[in-house]
Amino acid sequence: MDWLQVVVLAVVQGFTEFLPVSSSAHLILIPALTPWNDQGLAFDVALHLGSLLAVMACFRHQIIAMLQSSLAALRGRGVDTEARLALALVLATLPVCAIGFVLHDLIEGQLRTTPVIAAAMIGFGLLLGYADRGEVGQRDEYRVRGRDIAIIGLAQALALIPGTSRSGITMTAALLLGLGREAAARFSFLLSIPVIILASGMEILTLSRQTAPIDWATLLWGTALAGISAYLCIRLFLAFITRLGMQPFVVYRLILGAWLLWLFYG
């Protein structure tokens, strides 16, 4: 990999991981639409690690509070709002783990195609636009109910389809259930932590079986650039989402989806 490819892939991954535009679709499309070869599993792991470090840095105080409350609850000291939120994140992660395990080969093979990505970009983009129409709800992430957890968890499993966007579909579900824009974004970002940890763990296991040499300098640069980009993205998104809403991302998804269809069928 040359350095231009490292920078482009890392910055694209960092910015799109937490925007409702599908980072996986962009990472699939970049090598498909450029002369660059596929970046490989090791670099994908590095980019996801950078995104994980970024979201944990952004929400470090909330994460520490959830861990402390969860440990206190396990010791029989009662369950407070932080412990309930931690439990909600764990439960909402279960559907994507189960479905991803069962349908792994289908997802990694037949679904990683340009028409599927384009259709998901357009279809789920329209759904996001519908969820964000007019006035949205006002509930925060601490007031999610059992039904909300189940629906958001099942919605997250749809993100296994390339082009859907994990953050996009979970924000869509949260908005439809009555959460505010910032609350939907925060819950989605926190929900990414267990998902990225589990997905990266599986990738590392696969990587450990390979014998090819590893370019550690490239991986470290990719991790750092993806982490910085993702951190800036989260901060900017939370700062402006209440005023901007989701419609700019809906327009982007529709344009990109239509362009991909034109490239494939035109």
Side-chain angles (χ1 to χ4, degrees), residues 36-82:
W36 293 332
N37 295 324
D38 186 89
Q39 60 271 13
L41 180 60
F43 195 69
D44 282 349
V45 172
L47 298 186
H48 284 109
L49 177 59
S51 298
L52 175 64
L53 293 174
V55 70
M56 293 183 72
C58 285
F59 293 96
R60 59 191 180 279
H61 300 301
Q62 201 168 3
I63 292 169
I64 292 170
M66 286 191 291
L67 289 174
Q68 291 174 336
S69 294
S70 298
L71 290 173
L74 290 173
R75 296 188 185 113
R77 298 178 184 175
V79 179
D80 62 9
T81 55
E82 297 288 355

mmCIF file of all heavy atoms in Angstrom, residues 36-82:
data_model
loop_
_atom_site.group_PDB
_atom_site.id
_atom_site.type_symbol
_atom_site.label_atom_id
_atom_site.label_comp_id
_atom_site.label_asym_id
_atom_site.label_seq_id
_atom_site.Cartn_x
_atom_site.Cartn_y
_atom_site.Cartn_z
ATOM 1 N N TRP A 36 -6.302 0.838 -6.862
ATOM 2 C CA TRP A 36 -5.715 0.244 -5.669
ATOM 3 C C TRP A 36 -6.229 -1.169 -5.449
ATOM 4 O O TRP A 36 -7.398 -1.463 -5.663
ATOM 5 C CB TRP A 36 -6.022 1.089 -4.443
ATOM 6 C CG TRP A 36 -5.374 2.433 -4.450
ATOM 7 C CD1 TRP A 36 -4.209 2.780 -5.070
ATOM 8 C CD2 TRP A 36 -5.868 3.615 -3.819
ATOM 9 N NE1 TRP A 36 -3.929 4.104 -4.855
ATOM 10 C CE2 TRP A 36 -4.932 4.649 -4.084
ATOM 11 C CE3 TRP A 36 -6.985 3.910 -3.045
ATOM 12 C CZ2 TRP A 36 -5.092 5.929 -3.611
ATOM 13 C CZ3 TRP A 36 -7.149 5.189 -2.556
ATOM 14 C CH2 TRP A 36 -6.208 6.198 -2.841
ATOM 15 N N ASN A 37 -5.346 -2.020 -4.963
ATOM 16 C CA ASN A 37 -5.749 -3.350 -4.552
ATOM 17 C C ASN A 37 -6.496 -3.290 -3.224
ATOM 18 O O ASN A 37 -6.415 -2.297 -2.492
ATOM 19 C CB ASN A 37 -4.514 -4.260 -4.404
ATOM 20 C CG ASN A 37 -3.810 -4.492 -5.722
ATOM 21 O OD1 ASN A 37 -4.456 -4.605 -6.770
ATOM 22 N ND2 ASN A 37 -2.489 -4.563 -5.687
ATOM 23 N N ASP A 38 -7.230 -4.360 -2.917
ATOM 24 C CA ASP A 38 -7.908 -4.440 -1.626
ATOM 25 C C ASP A 38 -6.896 -4.277 -0.499
ATOM 26 O O ASP A 38 -5.788 -4.815 -0.553
ATOM 27 C CB ASP A 38 -8.621 -5.787 -1.482
ATOM 28 C CG ASP A 38 -9.450 -5.863 -0.215
ATOM 29 O OD1 ASP A 38 -10.628 -5.486 -0.248
ATOM 30 O OD2 ASP A 38 -8.892 -6.307 0.810
ATOM 31 N N GLN A 39 -7.261 -3.510 0.521
ATOM 32 C CA GLN A 39 -6.323 -3.156 1.585
ATOM 33 C C GLN A 39 -5.943 -4.308 2.501
ATOM 34 O O GLN A 39 -4.934 -4.242 3.204
ATOM 35 C CB GLN A 39 -6.908 -2.012 2.436
ATOM 36 C CG GLN A 39 -8.226 -2.336 3.121
ATOM 37 C CD GLN A 39 -9.426 -2.007 2.246
ATOM 38 O OE1 GLN A 39 -9.285 -1.756 1.049
ATOM 39 N NE2 GLN A 39 -10.601 -1.993 2.844
ATOM 40 N N GLY A 40 -6.733 -5.371 2.515
ATOM 41 C CA GLY A 40 -6.391 -6.542 3.310
ATOM 42 C C GLY A 40 -6.985 -6.500 4.704
ATOM 43 O O GLY A 40 -7.351 -5.439 5.232
ATOM 44 N N LEU A 41 -7.060 -7.670 5.318
ATOM 45 C CA LEU A 41 -7.704 -7.817 6.619
ATOM 46 C C LEU A 41 -6.963 -7.085 7.724
ATOM 47 O O LEU A 41 -7.577 -6.454 8.586
ATOM 48 C CB LEU A 41 -7.822 -9.308 6.967
ATOM 49 C CG LEU A 41 -8.468 -9.653 8.312
ATOM 50 C CD1 LEU A 41 -9.893 -9.124 8.371
ATOM 51 C CD2 LEU A 41 -8.445 -11.148 8.537
ATOM 52 N N ALA A 42 -5.635 -7.151 7.729
ATOM 53 C CA ALA A 42 -4.859 -6.518 8.795
ATOM 54 C C ALA A 42 -5.125 -5.017 8.856
ATOM 55 O O ALA A 42 -5.291 -4.444 9.948
ATOM 56 C CB ALA A 42 -3.364 -6.780 8.589
ATOM 57 N N PHE A 43 -5.197 -4.375 7.698
ATOM 58 C CA PHE A 43 -5.443 -2.933 7.685
ATOM 59 C C PHE A 43 -6.874 -2.625 8.110
ATOM 60 O O PHE A 43 -7.119 -1.625 8.799
ATOM 61 C CB PHE A 43 -5.169 -2.376 6.288
ATOM 62 C CG PHE A 43 -5.038 -0.875 6.264
ATOM 63 C CD1 PHE A 43 -3.958 -0.254 6.856
ATOM 64 C CD2 PHE A 43 -6.001 -0.089 5.652
ATOM 65 C CE1 PHE A 43 -3.838 1.130 6.844
ATOM 66 C CE2 PHE A 43 -5.890 1.289 5.632
ATOM 67 C CZ PHE A 43 -4.797 1.903 6.230
ATOM 68 N N ASP A 44 -7.819 -3.478 7.734
ATOM 69 C CA ASP A 44 -9.201 -3.299 8.202
ATOM 70 C C ASP A 44 -9.273 -3.341 9.723
ATOM 71 O O ASP A 44 -9.979 -2.549 10.355
ATOM 72 C CB ASP A 44 -10.109 -4.380 7.613
ATOM 73 C CG ASP A 44 -10.486 -4.101 6.169
ATOM 74 O OD1 ASP A 44 -10.228 -2.984 5.694
ATOM 75 O OD2 ASP A 44 -11.030 -5.011 5.516
ATOM 76 N N VAL A 45 -8.557 -4.285 10.325
ATOM 77 C CA VAL A 45 -8.526 -4.393 11.784
ATOM 78 C C VAL A 45 -7.954 -3.113 12.396
ATOM 79 O O VAL A 45 -8.479 -2.589 13.381
ATOM 80 C CB VAL A 45 -7.699 -5.616 12.230
ATOM 81 C CG1 VAL A 45 -7.511 -5.615 13.747
ATOM 82 C CG2 VAL A 45 -8.377 -6.905 11.795
ATOM 83 N N ALA A 46 -6.875 -2.600 11.807
ATOM 84 C CA ALA A 46 -6.254 -1.377 12.316
ATOM 85 C C ALA A 46 -7.215 -0.198 12.258
ATOM 86 O O ALA A 46 -7.310 0.596 13.205
ATOM 87 C CB ALA A 46 -4.986 -1.075 11.509
ATOM 88 N N LEU A 47 -7.957 -0.084 11.165
ATOM 89 C CA LEU A 47 -8.906 1.017 11.027
ATOM 90 C C LEU A 47 -10.028 0.910 12.052
ATOM 91 O O LEU A 47 -10.440 1.910 12.653
ATOM 92 C CB LEU A 47 -9.491 1.034 9.612
ATOM 93 C CG LEU A 47 -8.511 1.259 8.460
ATOM 94 C CD1 LEU A 47 -9.272 1.389 7.138
ATOM 95 C CD2 LEU A 47 -7.654 2.490 8.697
ATOM 96 N N HIS A 48 -10.531 -0.295 12.271
ATOM 97 C CA HIS A 48 -11.593 -0.480 13.262
ATOM 98 C C HIS A 48 -11.079 -0.198 14.677
ATOM 99 O O HIS A 48 -11.810 0.324 15.518
ATOM 100 C CB HIS A 48 -12.174 -1.887 13.162
ATOM 101 C CG HIS A 48 -13.087 -2.065 11.989
ATOM 102 N ND1 HIS A 48 -12.743 -2.815 10.888
ATOM 103 C CD2 HIS A 48 -14.328 -1.576 11.725
ATOM 104 C CE1 HIS A 48 -13.729 -2.783 10.007
ATOM 105 N NE2 HIS A 48 -14.692 -2.033 10.491
ATOM 106 N N LEU A 49 -9.834 -0.564 14.936
ATOM 107 C CA LEU A 49 -9.250 -0.262 16.241
ATOM 108 C C LEU A 49 -9.181 1.243 16.459
ATOM 109 O O LEU A 49 -9.472 1.738 17.557
ATOM 110 C CB LEU A 49 -7.847 -0.876 16.339
ATOM 111 C CG LEU A 49 -7.082 -0.588 17.634
ATOM 112 C CD1 LEU A 49 -7.845 -1.101 18.845
ATOM 113 C CD2 LEU A 49 -5.680 -1.203 17.582
ATOM 114 N N GLY A 50 -8.809 1.986 15.413
ATOM 115 C CA GLY A 50 -8.781 3.440 15.527
ATOM 116 C C GLY A 50 -10.153 4.011 15.837
ATOM 117 O O GLY A 50 -10.303 4.898 16.694
ATOM 118 N N SER A 51 -11.183 3.498 15.165
ATOM 119 C CA SER A 51 -12.550 3.953 15.424
ATOM 120 C C SER A 51 -12.982 3.623 16.846
ATOM 121 O O SER A 51 -13.655 4.421 17.513
ATOM 122 C CB SER A 51 -13.516 3.304 14.425
ATOM 123 O OG SER A 51 -13.197 3.682 13.101
ATOM 124 N N LEU A 52 -12.607 2.434 17.318
ATOM 125 C CA LEU A 52 -12.952 2.024 18.680
ATOM 126 C C LEU A 52 -12.304 2.942 19.712
ATOM 127 O O LEU A 52 -12.959 3.390 20.673
ATOM 128 C CB LEU A 52 -12.505 0.578 18.903
ATOM 129 C CG LEU A 52 -12.688 0.016 20.321
ATOM 130 C CD1 LEU A 52 -14.162 -0.044 20.683
ATOM 131 C CD2 LEU A 52 -12.039 -1.356 20.430
ATOM 132 N N LEU A 53 -11.033 3.236 19.529
ATOM 133 C CA LEU A 53 -10.340 4.127 20.465
ATOM 134 C C LEU A 53 -10.979 5.515 20.472
ATOM 135 O O LEU A 53 -11.087 6.160 21.524
ATOM 136 C CB LEU A 53 -8.864 4.227 20.081
ATOM 137 C CG LEU A 53 -8.044 2.936 20.242
ATOM 138 C CD1 LEU A 53 -6.631 3.138 19.695
ATOM 139 C CD2 LEU A 53 -7.994 2.504 21.699
ATOM 140 N N ALA A 54 -11.433 5.965 19.304
ATOM 141 C CA ALA A 54 -12.047 7.292 19.207
ATOM 142 C C ALA A 54 -13.355 7.367 19.980
ATOM 143 O O ALA A 54 -13.578 8.301 20.754
ATOM 144 C CB ALA A 54 -12.283 7.642 17.735
ATOM 145 N N VAL A 55 -14.234 6.390 19.785
ATOM 146 C CA VAL A 55 -15.527 6.445 20.463
ATOM 147 C C VAL A 55 -15.362 6.247 21.960
ATOM 148 O O VAL A 55 -16.087 6.858 22.770
ATOM 149 C CB VAL A 55 -16.506 5.405 19.853
ATOM 150 C CG1 VAL A 55 -16.123 3.984 20.191
ATOM 151 C CG2 VAL A 55 -17.933 5.694 20.297
ATOM 152 N N MET A 56 -14.396 5.440 22.363
ATOM 153 C CA MET A 56 -14.154 5.259 23.795
ATOM 154 C C MET A 56 -13.584 6.530 24.419
ATOM 155 O O MET A 56 -13.889 6.856 25.563
ATOM 156 C CB MET A 56 -13.230 4.071 24.025
ATOM 157 C CG MET A 56 -13.857 2.732 23.663
ATOM 158 S SD MET A 56 -12.807 1.297 24.006
ATOM 159 C CE MET A 56 -12.873 1.256 25.796
ATOM 160 N N ALA A 57 -12.773 7.258 23.670
ATOM 161 C CA ALA A 57 -12.239 8.525 24.169
ATOM 162 C C ALA A 57 -13.346 9.567 24.298
ATOM 163 O O ALA A 57 -13.401 10.305 25.289
ATOM 164 C CB ALA A 57 -11.138 9.030 23.237
ATOM 165 N N CYS A 58 -14.238 9.612 23.325
ATOM 166 C CA CYS A 58 -15.329 10.588 23.359
ATOM 167 C C CYS A 58 -16.291 10.346 24.513
ATOM 168 O O CYS A 58 -16.793 11.293 25.120
ATOM 169 C CB CYS A 58 -16.096 10.554 22.039
ATOM 170 S SG CYS A 58 -15.253 11.322 20.652
ATOM 171 N N PHE A 59 -16.546 9.091 24.819
ATOM 172 C CA PHE A 59 -17.540 8.743 25.836
ATOM 173 C C PHE A 59 -16.896 8.126 27.078
ATOM 174 O O PHE A 59 -17.532 7.359 27.789
ATOM 175 C CB PHE A 59 -18.567 7.778 25.240
ATOM 176 C CG PHE A 59 -19.418 8.383 24.171
ATOM 177 C CD1 PHE A 59 -19.092 8.226 22.832
ATOM 178 C CD2 PHE A 59 -20.533 9.144 24.487
ATOM 179 C CE1 PHE A 59 -19.868 8.791 21.837
ATOM 180 C CE2 PHE A 59 -21.316 9.710 23.495
ATOM 181 C CZ PHE A 59 -20.986 9.539 22.166
ATOM 182 N N ARG A 60 -15.656 8.482 27.336
ATOM 183 C CA ARG A 60 -14.907 7.845 28.425
ATOM 184 C C ARG A 60 -15.586 8.029 29.791
ATOM 185 O O ARG A 60 -15.612 7.086 30.596
ATOM 186 C CB ARG A 60 -13.473 8.350 28.470
ATOM 187 C CG ARG A 60 -13.337 9.855 28.673
ATOM 188 C CD ARG A 60 -11.892 10.311 28.443
ATOM 189 N NE ARG A 60 -11.719 11.748 28.634
ATOM 190 C CZ ARG A 60 -12.017 12.661 27.720
ATOM 191 N NH1 ARG A 60 -12.503 12.278 26.553
ATOM 192 N NH2 ARG A 60 -11.826 13.941 27.963
ATOM 193 N N HIS A 61 -16.137 9.207 30.049
ATOM 194 C CA HIS A 61 -16.773 9.439 31.348
ATOM 195 C C HIS A 61 -18.033 8.594 31.493
ATOM 196 O O HIS A 61 -18.294 8.017 32.557
ATOM 197 C CB HIS A 61 -17.094 10.921 31.517
ATOM 198 C CG HIS A 61 -15.897 11.815 31.458
ATOM 199 N ND1 HIS A 61 -14.834 11.700 32.341
ATOM 200 C CD2 HIS A 61 -15.572 12.834 30.610
ATOM 201 C CE1 HIS A 61 -13.915 12.610 32.054
ATOM 202 N NE2 HIS A 61 -14.336 13.309 31.008
ATOM 203 N N GLN A 62 -18.821 8.503 30.434
ATOM 204 C CA GLN A 62 -20.037 7.703 30.460
ATOM 205 C C GLN A 62 -19.708 6.213 30.565
ATOM 206 O O GLN A 62 -20.382 5.465 31.275
ATOM 207 C CB GLN A 62 -20.864 7.975 29.207
ATOM 208 C CG GLN A 62 -22.333 7.609 29.336
ATOM 209 C CD GLN A 62 -23.148 8.170 28.184
ATOM 210 O OE1 GLN A 62 -22.631 8.792 27.264
ATOM 211 N NE2 GLN A 62 -24.458 7.958 28.237
ATOM 212 N N ILE A 63 -18.659 5.780 29.880
ATOM 213 C CA ILE A 63 -18.246 4.376 29.930
ATOM 214 C C ILE A 63 -17.791 4.007 31.342
ATOM 215 O O ILE A 63 -18.169 2.960 31.885
ATOM 216 C CB ILE A 63 -17.124 4.104 28.912
ATOM 217 C CG1 ILE A 63 -17.663 4.237 27.484
ATOM 218 C CG2 ILE A 63 -16.519 2.716 29.118
ATOM 219 C CD1 ILE A 63 -16.572 4.241 26.424
ATOM 220 N N ILE A 64 -16.988 4.870 31.956
ATOM 221 C CA ILE A 64 -16.527 4.611 33.329
ATOM 222 C C ILE A 64 -17.712 4.542 34.290
ATOM 223 O O ILE A 64 -17.778 3.661 35.155
ATOM 224 C CB ILE A 64 -15.525 5.699 33.766
ATOM 225 C CG1 ILE A 64 -14.225 5.574 32.965
ATOM 226 C CG2 ILE A 64 -15.239 5.602 35.267
ATOM 227 C CD1 ILE A 64 -13.264 6.731 33.156
ATOM 228 N N ALA A 65 -18.667 5.464 34.118
ATOM 229 C CA ALA A 65 -19.851 5.458 34.988
ATOM 230 C C ALA A 65 -20.655 4.174 34.822
ATOM 231 O O ALA A 65 -21.132 3.593 35.811
ATOM 232 C CB ALA A 65 -20.727 6.675 34.680
ATOM 233 N N MET A 66 -20.805 3.703 33.572
ATOM 234 C CA MET A 66 -21.544 2.460 33.340
ATOM 235 C C MET A 66 -20.832 1.256 33.946
ATOM 236 O O MET A 66 -21.458 0.377 34.536
ATOM 237 C CB MET A 66 -21.765 2.254 31.831
ATOM 238 C CG MET A 66 -22.813 3.155 31.222
ATOM 239 S SD MET A 66 -23.257 2.674 29.534
ATOM 240 C CE MET A 66 -21.742 3.093 28.663
ATOM 241 N N LEU A 67 -19.508 1.217 33.819
ATOM 242 C CA LEU A 67 -18.749 0.106 34.386
ATOM 243 C C LEU A 67 -18.848 0.102 35.901
ATOM 244 O O LEU A 67 -19.048 -0.960 36.531
ATOM 245 C CB LEU A 67 -17.283 0.203 33.952
ATOM 246 C CG LEU A 67 -16.985 -0.106 32.486
ATOM 247 C CD1 LEU A 67 -15.519 0.185 32.165
ATOM 248 C CD2 LEU A 67 -17.312 -1.556 32.162
ATOM 249 N N GLN A 68 -18.700 1.271 36.529
ATOM 250 C CA GLN A 68 -18.784 1.352 37.985
ATOM 251 C C GLN A 68 -20.174 0.944 38.483
ATOM 252 O O GLN A 68 -20.296 0.190 39.461
ATOM 253 C CB GLN A 68 -18.452 2.778 38.443
ATOM 254 C CG GLN A 68 -16.988 3.153 38.250
ATOM 255 C CD GLN A 68 -16.710 4.611 38.564
ATOM 256 O OE1 GLN A 68 -17.600 5.475 38.508
ATOM 257 N NE2 GLN A 68 -15.456 4.915 38.886
ATOM 258 N N SER A 69 -21.214 1.422 37.810
ATOM 259 C CA SER A 69 -22.579 1.086 38.220
ATOM 260 C C SER A 69 -22.878 -0.392 38.000
ATOM 261 O O SER A 69 -23.569 -1.023 38.805
ATOM 262 C CB SER A 69 -23.586 1.944 37.451
ATOM 263 O OG SER A 69 -23.462 3.302 37.805
ATOM 264 N N SER A 70 -22.351 -0.950 36.910
ATOM 265 C CA SER A 70 -22.581 -2.367 36.630
ATOM 266 C C SER A 70 -21.906 -3.248 37.678
ATOM 267 O O SER A 70 -22.484 -4.233 38.147
ATOM 268 C CB SER A 70 -22.061 -2.723 35.232
ATOM 269 O OG SER A 70 -22.749 -1.997 34.234
ATOM 270 N N LEU A 71 -20.685 -2.887 38.073
ATOM 271 C CA LEU A 71 -19.987 -3.640 39.117
ATOM 272 C C LEU A 71 -20.725 -3.520 40.443
ATOM 273 O O LEU A 71 -20.840 -4.503 41.193
ATOM 274 C CB LEU A 71 -18.551 -3.135 39.261
ATOM 275 C CG LEU A 71 -17.605 -3.457 38.097
ATOM 276 C CD1 LEU A 71 -16.260 -2.763 38.280
ATOM 277 C CD2 LEU A 71 -17.405 -4.966 37.971
ATOM 278 N N ALA A 72 -21.233 -2.327 40.728
ATOM 279 C CA ALA A 72 -22.002 -2.136 41.959
ATOM 280 C C ALA A 72 -23.276 -2.973 41.949
ATOM 281 O O ALA A 72 -23.656 -3.568 42.960
ATOM 282 C CB ALA A 72 -22.339 -0.655 42.135
ATOM 283 N N ALA A 73 -23.926 -3.041 40.788
ATOM 284 C CA ALA A 73 -25.148 -3.847 40.678
ATOM 285 C C ALA A 73 -24.848 -5.324 40.885
ATOM 286 O O ALA A 73 -25.623 -6.050 41.526
ATOM 287 C CB ALA A 73 -25.797 -3.623 39.314
ATOM 288 N N LEU A 74 -23.714 -5.792 40.355
ATOM 289 C CA LEU A 74 -23.331 -7.197 40.532
ATOM 290 C C LEU A 74 -23.040 -7.511 41.993
ATOM 291 O O LEU A 74 -23.174 -8.661 42.432
ATOM 292 C CB LEU A 74 -22.108 -7.510 39.680
ATOM 293 C CG LEU A 74 -22.339 -7.530 38.153
ATOM 294 C CD1 LEU A 74 -21.018 -7.692 37.411
ATOM 295 C CD2 LEU A 74 -23.306 -8.650 37.769
ATOM 296 N N ARG A 75 -22.651 -6.492 42.751
ATOM 297 C CA ARG A 75 -22.384 -6.698 44.182
ATOM 298 C C ARG A 75 -23.647 -6.531 45.029
ATOM 299 O O ARG A 75 -23.579 -6.541 46.253
ATOM 300 C CB ARG A 75 -21.322 -5.699 44.649
ATOM 301 C CG ARG A 75 -19.951 -5.891 43.996
ATOM 302 C CD ARG A 75 -18.913 -4.995 44.649
ATOM 303 N NE ARG A 75 -17.628 -5.078 43.965
ATOM 304 C CZ ARG A 75 -17.069 -4.080 43.292
ATOM 305 N NH1 ARG A 75 -17.693 -2.908 43.197
ATOM 306 N NH2 ARG A 75 -15.896 -4.237 42.709
ATOM 307 N N GLY A 76 -24.790 -6.352 44.339
ATOM 308 C CA GLY A 76 -26.054 -6.253 45.049
ATOM 309 C C GLY A 76 -26.378 -4.888 45.602
ATOM 310 O O GLY A 76 -27.178 -4.755 46.530
ATOM 311 N N ARG A 77 -25.780 -3.837 45.038
ATOM 312 C CA ARG A 77 -26.001 -2.483 45.543
ATOM 313 C C ARG A 77 -27.079 -1.733 44.771
ATOM 314 O O ARG A 77 -27.188 -0.513 44.865
ATOM 315 C CB ARG A 77 -24.688 -1.691 45.493
ATOM 316 C CG ARG A 77 -23.600 -2.291 46.369
ATOM 317 C CD ARG A 77 -22.312 -1.511 46.259
ATOM 318 N NE ARG A 77 -21.242 -2.141 47.034
ATOM 319 C CZ ARG A 77 -19.979 -1.725 47.037
ATOM 320 N NH1 ARG A 77 -19.630 -0.659 46.301
ATOM 321 N NH2 ARG A 77 -19.071 -2.347 47.762
ATOM 322 N N GLY A 78 -27.863 -2.441 43.971
ATOM 323 C CA GLY A 78 -28.947 -1.806 43.233
ATOM 324 C C GLY A 78 -28.561 -1.457 41.813
ATOM 325 O O GLY A 78 -27.369 -1.352 41.481
ATOM 326 N N VAL A 79 -29.580 -1.295 40.986
ATOM 327 C CA VAL A 79 -29.375 -0.990 39.572
ATOM 328 C C VAL A 79 -29.819 0.443 39.309
ATOM 329 O O VAL A 79 -30.997 0.775 39.478
ATOM 330 C CB VAL A 79 -30.177 -1.964 38.676
ATOM 331 C CG1 VAL A 79 -29.976 -1.618 37.209
ATOM 332 C CG2 VAL A 79 -29.774 -3.411 38.949
ATOM 333 N N ASP A 80 -28.875 1.290 38.899
ATOM 334 C CA ASP A 80 -29.222 2.675 38.585
ATOM 335 C C ASP A 80 -29.314 2.859 37.070
ATOM 336 O O ASP A 80 -29.237 1.896 36.303
ATOM 337 C CB ASP A 80 -28.210 3.643 39.208
ATOM 338 C CG ASP A 80 -26.793 3.440 38.678
ATOM 339 O OD1 ASP A 80 -26.608 2.674 37.706
ATOM 340 O OD2 ASP A 80 -25.856 4.051 39.234
ATOM 341 N N THR A 81 -29.475 4.097 36.638
ATOM 342 C CA THR A 81 -29.676 4.369 35.207
ATOM 343 C C THR A 81 -28.455 3.994 34.369
ATOM 344 O O THR A 81 -28.596 3.544 33.232
ATOM 345 C CB THR A 81 -30.007 5.854 34.978
ATOM 346 O OG1 THR A 81 -28.965 6.669 35.557
ATOM 347 C CG2 THR A 81 -31.344 6.214 35.620
ATOM 348 N N GLU A 82 -27.252 4.174 34.923
ATOM 349 C CA GLU A 82 -26.033 3.833 34.173
ATOM 350 C C GLU A 82 -25.942 2.326 33.967
ATOM 351 O O GLU A 82 -25.589 1.859 32.873
ATOM 352 C CB GLU A 82 -24.791 4.332 34.908
ATOM 353 C CG GLU A 82 -24.707 5.840 35.054
ATOM 354 C CD GLU A 82 -24.407 6.546 33.747
ATOM 355 O OE1 GLU A 82 -24.172 5.863 32.725
ATOM 356 O OE2 GLU A 82 -24.397 7.789 33.742
#
